[in-house]
Amino acid sequence: MASNSSVISSEDRRAGTSVVVKALRITGRGRRPVFGSAVLAGVVALLVGGGIVAGAFAASWGLFLQARRDAEFSIASEDSYVAYADQKDSLVNVALCVFPLLLLVAMVLIAWLLTAQAVTVAYARERAVAGTCAAAAPGALGLRALWRRCRPHFGTAFRVQLLTLVCVLVPALAGLFVLVLLELEMVPGVVWPTYHDPATVQFILVGRILPVVIWALGGVLLARFSLATAVRVADNSSATAAMRRSWTLTGTARLYTTGIFLLGTLAVAVVFNVLKWLGTYVAHWAGLLMLATTEDNVWVTGVLVIITPVAVALVLLPLALAPMGVLLACLRERLDGGTGEVRLPSGAPVG
């Protein structure tokens, strides 16, 4: 990590250096804390998230067995049947219990990743301030030192994620509410299209364009608050103060920050879809194993095969989220004029 000082100082001397280039350089030089924190998040996601999903399967096991018996009885009686006809409501109830738990795990891990990357960027700045003075330079930023630096900020970072989620949920639920009103035929002059009645202009405007516009507002809020964790690490502020500061900073260069945020989001989305595609190979072997251990129970196997690619992608996604966290921290530093609380260590090295 000793080369971080040259990277940051050269960028400070060249005002035209891109934030993306700076983030890539810090990610490359600091790959130990950046990807180490990502691997740690992936392991936690695998163990905790996998345990939650396994618990959901265990709680639903009787429902899958009953679905198989119902289907076999209908087939033997030469009757038509609907998959999970009598088990659907119970399976939905289990899912409604699992999703909030998985969301909580996701927020904890995102808070950790964003905090860790903001600390990594701050560490790189410390190296730049220390310059060639070996006595003032901080020690190597290993995972243990990274956790010590992240620990004072982690609780506030988690509160930032909670508050951001609440803000984003408002337009998300509003868009869904519009679709529910259309489904219930409570919007005058707008009818949900059927096989015989194609979509009208009114339905396209209200049922397709309007929800997207409302959901886009949620994306705007997410972008405006995306620097809050980095602000907390730099300024040691409260969650609400960090979010206000993030809103102010992103408002000074809206097109620029929107472009950076969309670029990072696009990169994460591409990685997610690639990982999801790779997860289909894992799903294939997991499905074969499930069939062999459940005497060809296609009902539980089908659900497993559907969720496995997404689960694989989510477990490995921290490897893409970590560099985006570096990008957001660098963006905060650029918009804030390179300011922030840089604490040069005294005494024993951090590593």
Side-chain angles (χ1 to χ4, degrees):
M1 296 291 295
S3 57
N4 272 3
S5 58
S6 61
V7 172
I8 303 298
S9 60
S10 65
E11 289 175 346
D12 289 339
R13 288 193 298 267
R14 295 186 301 170
T17 302
S18 168
V19 170
V20 176
V21 173
K22 179 179 178 181
L24 290 175
R25 288 179 176 176
I26 292 179
T27 300
R29 299 296 192 271
R31 54 187 174 273
R32 183 180 178 185
V34 172
F35 293 107
S37 62
V39 170
L40 180 60
V43 171
V44 173
L46 177 62
L47 296 178
V48 180
I52 293 173
V53 174
F57 270 99
S60 306
W61 198 256
L63 298 174
F64 291 119
L65 295 180
Q66 185 60 45
R68 177 179 183 174
R69 287 193 292 266
D70 292 346
E72 290 176 345
F73 179 79
S74 298
I75 293 173
S77 303
E78 298 183 354
D79 295 331
S80 61
Y81 66 93
V82 178
Y84 314 107
D86 298 325
Q87 296 80 29
K88 182 177 181 181
D89 292 341
S90 298
L91 290 173
V92 170
N93 290 334
V94 173
L96 290 178
C97 295
V98 170
F99 287 158
L101 294 176
L102 293 178
L103 184 60
L104 179 63
V105 173
M107 287 191 296
V108 170
L109 295 181
I110 290 174
W112 156 250
L113 287 172
L114 293 181
T115 303
Q117 310 328 315
V119 167
T120 300
V121 173
Y123 169 84
R125 185 168 180 79
E126 289 178 13
R127 301 286 298 194
V129 173
T132 58
C133 180
L141 190 62
L143 277 180
R144 185 176 300 176
L146 180 65
W147 168 245
R148 285 201 299 268
R149 291 188 175 210
C150 290
R151 187 168 52 191
H153 307 291
F154 184 71
T156 302
F158 179 68
R159 288 192 291 273
V160 167
Q161 307 312 313
L162 282 177
L163 293 173
T164 301
L165 177 65
V166 171
C167 294
V168 173
L169 276 179
V170 174
L173 295 177
L176 291 176
F177 184 67
V178 171
L179 296 178
V180 170
L181 292 179
L182 291 176
E183 180 71 19
L184 297 177
E185 299 182 355
M186 298 179 63
V187 180
V190 181
V191 180
W192 197 277
T194 63
Y195 179 79
H196 300 286
D197 298 320
T200 62
V201 175
Q202 292 88 339
F203 176 81
I204 294 175
L205 292 175
V206 179
R208 292 292 180 261
I209 297 179
L210 181 58
V212 171
V213 171
I214 296 176
W215 290 330
L217 295 177
V220 171
L221 293 175
L222 191 61
R224 297 295 298 271
F225 292 135
S226 61
L227 307 184
T229 302
V231 170
R232 157 66 192 190
V233 173
D235 301 339
N236 203 30
S237 54
S238 65
T240 54
M243 293 178 71
R244 287 196 298 268
R245 183 59 179 165
S246 176
W247 186 274
T248 300
L249 288 176
T250 54
T252 59
R254 295 180 182 179
L255 291 179
Y256 180 70
T257 55
T258 300
I260 295 293
F261 182 80
L262 289 178
L263 179 63
T265 303
L266 178 62
V268 172
V270 170
V271 172
F272 175 81
N273 282 281
V274 172
L275 294 175
K276 185 179 175 182
W277 171 71
L278 294 175
T280 58
Y281 295 95
V282 179
H284 172 74
W285 292 105
L288 293 178
L289 180 62
M290 181 62 76
L291 286 174
T293 56
T294 59
E295 298 180 354
D296 296 333
N297 189 329
V298 297
W299 308 102
V300 63
T301 302
V303 175
L304 179 66
V305 170
I306 290 174
I307 69 172
T308 296
V310 178
V312 170
L314 291 177
V315 168
L316 298 178
L317 193 61
L319 296 175
L321 290 176
M324 185 173 181
V326 175
L327 177 63
L328 293 176
C330 291
L331 178 60
R332 196 283 318 165
E333 192 174 81
R334 173 61 62 86
L335 295 178
D336 217 8
T339 62
E341 187 179 351
V342 178
R343 296 173 291 278
L344 290 178
S346 58
V350 183

